[in-house]
Amino acid sequence: MSAPISRDELRHLMDVLLDKRIELHSRVNAIRADIGNRLSPDFSDQGIELENADVLNELSREAIEELGRINLALQRIEAGTYGQCSDCGCEIEIKRLESVPWALRCLSCENKRGGQAVSDRSGERKRFRR
């Protein structure tokens, strides 16, 4: 079982979450502004612009999903449940929270859910759904 998150660690993780939220809001706003540009009068250019818009829409969707995860993590901080596994109730490993600050589950429970294992730079194994 992991030790509870210290106040300093919690403050640091909250800062990371808030910074990431600002970054994602800026990204979404920039994408929306770019998508909002009028199409070129040239028909051949319009095809490329529409393909680009599809890519930008997907990037926006991913950023909005990540914003949701970040907002949920911030709500969990407010509620006093941040860092606690939503499945088993144990403390989520600090290394995991440093890598994935919006993590809802400890590594053991995430592994049980069957995500795809990926190692990050610190050597921790993270799980991602397909």
Side-chain angles (χ1 to χ4, degrees), residues 41-90:
D42 184 324
F43 186 71
S44 61
D45 288 343
Q46 287 180 7
I48 294 169
E49 291 169 351
L50 290 172
E51 285 179 23
N52 288 342
D54 287 343
V55 170
L56 290 174
N57 279 323
E58 180 61 19
L59 291 173
S60 178
R61 185 194 62 76
E62 289 174 2
I64 290 168
E65 284 180 9
E66 192 169 346
L67 275 168
R69 290 187 292 270
I70 288 169
N71 287 331
L72 181 58
L74 291 168
Q75 289 171 0
R76 288 172 55 107
I77 289 172
E78 270 188 44
T81 59
Y82 181 78
Q84 197 174 34
C85 178
S86 63
D87 287 2
C88 71
C90 292

Side-chain angles (χ1 to χ4, degrees), residues 12-28 62-64 66-71 74 99-102:
H12 170 72
L13 290 167
M14 188 170 174
D15 288 343
V16 169
L17 288 164
L18 291 170
D19 289 345
K20 186 68 172 176
R21 185 168 71 175
I22 290 168
E23 174 193 328
L24 289 169
H25 274 295
S26 295
R27 184 181 309 164
V28 169
E62 289 174 2
I64 290 168
E66 192 169 346
L67 275 168
R69 290 187 292 270
I70 288 169
N71 287 331
L74 291 168
S99 296
V100 186
W102 50 84

